[in-house]
Amino acid sequence: MRRLFKTFAAAFLSFAVATALPAEQLCLGQEVTEGPDGRMLGHLPYVEAKPSELVAAPLGFAVNGACLIKRDMAYDLAQMLAAAQSTPGVGNSLHAVSCFRTVARQRAVFCSQIGPNKRCANAAERARAVGPPGYSEHATGYAIDFAARPSPGCSDVSACFAATAAGQWLIIHAPDYGFELSFPPGNAQGVTWEPWHWRWVGASAFRPGALVARGLFARARASFPAQPTTRDASPFVVPANLPLIAIPTPNPTPSLPSPPTLAPPALPKAKGVPVPSGAPLPPLHTGPPPLSSD
């Protein structure tokens, strides 16, 4: 019996070794194996968007050159930036430090801060703040790392971004334009809180392209919910410990009084023929219309 058990154990070990996923060399000296659930160091896998699916973000939005995004999200991004610009205290301070990134570019970003005299000692430590190549939302073209300009005393992709007027405006209003915060505080993926990293999924499933984006992030949304997220997913309450900056609200446009209702003049009655007293009048003329990092 003991010999039979040893034979079975050896066979099982040989099978496990043969079917084990091979280790991938992410960076020089950094070999990592994908987990049994398909994640790598906590991050979910994503396929790189095709060049034909990408367009340039609005001019002046990126702080470091071009910013490519998925075509489907371009309209909502433009509308969101316009709304932010019209808000006193925010204005034109909302920008991007990173948008679409190829897998090759992600590898360079991921590996650049691993090693002696670098921020991180190994790949696992680096993955706390940056997705490994092939496992970053930036590859989809739907993710943006936002930044504030000017932002004295607060470097890009830092938690202090949440305390800026631009960061607070995003927390309150970004879900209205289909954006959600991928990595909220204490997220189950084990990724650092990233108040700058937002992905687009559409404000509702009926937005053009929203079903495609939601399909890509379906597992992330189900297993590791974003917060804040879109209004059709769940409500969001601003954390009590978030140091809010007062953002003045623009004065509402005064409403014009409605034109007075004029009583119709009395109409003469022909002898023997009754005439209705409520005969319609020509319309009242009121003048021309107004002018208008993971």
Side-chain angles (χ1 to χ4, degrees):
M1 180 65 70
R2 183 177 297 177
R3 180 178 299 176
L4 180 61
F5 176 78
K6 288 183 178 180
T7 302
F8 175 78
F12 179 79
L13 181 60
S14 299
F15 174 79
V17 171
T19 57
L21 294 173
E24 178 181 347
Q25 181 169 303
L26 296 181
C27 314
L28 185 62
Q30 298 295 316
E31 293 188 352
V32 181
T33 302
E34 187 180 84
D37 61 353
R39 292 191 294 156
M40 180 173 285
L41 300 176
H43 294 265
L44 293 164
Y46 293 102
V47 177
E48 182 179 309
K50 299 177 181 178
S52 59
E53 300 171 338
L54 302 170
V55 297
L59 187 65
F61 175 52
V63 298
N64 296 319
C67 170
L68 295 178
I69 57 174
K70 232 10 179 341
R71 186 185 308 274
D72 295 335
M73 69 180 280
Y75 177 81
D76 279 348
L77 175 61
Q79 293 298 306
M80 186 174 76
L81 294 178
Q85 289 172 1
S86 67
T87 303
V90 180
N92 194 34
S93 64
L94 196 58
H95 295 274
V97 291
S98 186
C99 303
F100 165 75
R101 290 203 292 254
T102 64
V103 173
R105 173 59 181 161
Q106 187 69 25
R107 187 179 302 277
V109 171
F110 184 84
C111 298
S112 63
Q113 294 298 325
I114 298 177
N117 302 320
K118 299 294 181 67
R119 294 181 183 176
C120 305
N122 51 52
E125 188 178 339
R126 181 61 168 157
R128 290 276 298 161
V130 180
Y135 298 81
S136 171
E137 292 183 349
H138 283 285
T140 67
Y142 287 121
I144 296 178
D145 287 345
F146 288 90
R149 289 292 188 276
S151 183
C154 181
S155 59
D156 293 338
V157 297
S158 298
C160 54
F161 173 70
T164 66
Q168 289 177 26
W169 190 93
L170 279 177
I171 289 175
I172 297 171
H173 297 287
D176 296 332
Y177 300 90
F179 289 86
E180 58 183 17
L181 191 66
S182 302
F183 306 110
N187 62 84
Q189 284 183 261
V191 179
T192 303
W193 174 42
E194 298 187 352
W196 60 86
H197 179 99
W198 296 75
R199 66 187 177 215
W200 182 86
V201 294
S204 78
F206 300 101
R207 290 289 301 155
L211 286 179
V212 176
R214 292 178 180 217
L216 288 175
F217 299 120
R219 184 181 173 191
R221 302 186 87 208
S223 302
F224 312 104
Q227 190 72 358
T229 184
T230 54
R231 307 302 183 195
D232 68 339
S234 69
F236 171 68
V237 178
V238 178
N241 60 350
L242 183 65
L244 296 179
I245 296 174
I247 302 176
T249 304
N251 295 326
T253 304
S255 56
L256 298 177
S258 302
T261 302
L262 301 181
L267 299 177
K269 295 184 178 181
K271 186 176 182 180
V273 180
V275 178
S277 61
L281 291 177
L284 181 66
H285 177 68
T286 58
L291 300 175
S292 102
S293 158
D294 174 54

